[in-house]
Amino acid sequence: MTRTVADTVDSILERVEEQVDDPDLAFDVRTARQLVVLLGEELDLAHEAIDDADIDEGLREDLRELGYLD
């Protein structure tokens, strides 16, 4: 399984959450983790839309070079 940036950020936040004793801060960290998951899902949808789009191969290669496509 490929680890994404969102997965890495979530793992970091998970470790922080385990060490936080303040309930308010723990809530904030859990909320941040949920938002990271949401952003990862939105990014996946965007990648799928680009993959399904009728895009010129030159533009597709430019998007790959810029890091927008795998």
Side-chain angles (χ1 to χ4, degrees), residues 3-59:
R3 284 188 57 89
T4 64
V5 172
D7 293 334
T8 303
V9 172
D10 184 51
S11 294
I12 293 168
L13 289 172
E14 181 180 28
R15 288 193 307 272
V16 170
E17 183 181 1
E18 292 169 355
Q19 298 175 13
V20 171
D21 293 328
D22 183 315
D24 291 332
L25 291 176
F27 174 81
D28 289 344
V29 173
R30 277 193 308 277
T31 301
R33 289 184 66 200
Q34 292 169 347
L35 292 171
V36 166
V37 169
L38 178 63
L39 287 173
E41 291 173 358
E42 289 178 349
L43 185 58
D44 289 343
L45 289 173
H47 280 272
E48 288 176 21
I50 290 172
D51 288 342
D52 293 343
D54 185 23
I55 298 175
D56 174 79
E57 191 55 41
L59 175 57

